[in-house]
Amino acid sequence: LFALCILFPATAQAWEGIAVRILDGDTVLVAPYGASHGDISVRLYGIDAPELDQPSGMASREALEGHVRPGDTVKIIPLANDRYSRTVGLLIHGDVILNYEQVRQGYAWVYPQYCKARFCKEWRNAEQTARQAQNGLWGDTSPLPPWEWRHGNASIPNK
């Protein structure tokens, strides 16, 4: 976490809350501590997990649920807001950065269009290792990246 504080001086804006619901493999609904407004949808920065009705989609959500359950305290390091008004950031539970963990375990792709931080190189290496070990979604013979899958399913918004 210390390295993240150096890379992202805006971590003074980091906040904590309670995980309310795991929506899919890269989105969590969080209730911020002390906030008077509602829950916040947090999109995990730099990764893209399969959609729930896509092959490995449910497994990806279950993998994330294996790290953070509703009621757990999480820390959010916000990096942006997306066009759907979601907070995009790093999701941390304990000392684990769950964005990275989803990639490392093979339940999400590094999202090349959006993962631009220096640490994304490490994340791409972790993705390659998961691919070679056929972990998670890489056990499928030809997994389709969600950004390509969504093009064939126009009713699903781009993440």
Side-chain angles (χ1 to χ4, degrees), residues 81-138:
N81 288 314
D82 69 10
R83 63 184 171 180
Y84 302 106
S85 299
R86 295 177 294 193
T87 296
V88 179
L90 300 177
L91 177 68
I92 301 166
H93 182 245
D95 61 353
V96 178
I97 300 169
L98 298 178
N99 314 48
Y100 170 78
E101 199 60 22
Q102 283 292 91
V103 170
R104 190 187 71 75
Q105 291 186 347
Y107 290 105
W109 280 258
V110 175
Y111 204 163
Q113 182 178 347
Y114 296 106
C115 199
K116 303 296 184 186
R118 283 189 215 163
F119 57 76
C120 292
K121 180 178 179 183
E122 179 184 347
W123 291 14
R124 285 188 290 277
N125 290 339
E127 179 183 308
Q128 188 59 35
T129 299
R131 283 177 188 248
Q132 291 169 348
Q134 297 183 332
N135 292 339
L137 63 90
W138 304 113

Side-chain angles (χ1 to χ4, degrees), residues 15-33 37-44 61 64-65 68-74 76 84-87 91:
W15 51 273
E16 289 187 340
I18 298 291
V20 174
R21 188 163 49 118
I22 312 310
L23 301 176
D24 58 25
D26 57 27
T27 311
V28 177
L29 195 61
V30 178
Y33 286 142
H37 56 283
D39 301 336
I40 295 176
S41 183
V42 177
R43 173 80 165 80
L44 277 63
R61 179 172 71 182
L64 188 54
E65 286 176 332
V68 63
R69 307 281 308 166
D72 287 349
T73 295
V74 293
I76 308 301
Y84 302 106
S85 299
R86 295 177 294 193
T87 296
L91 177 68

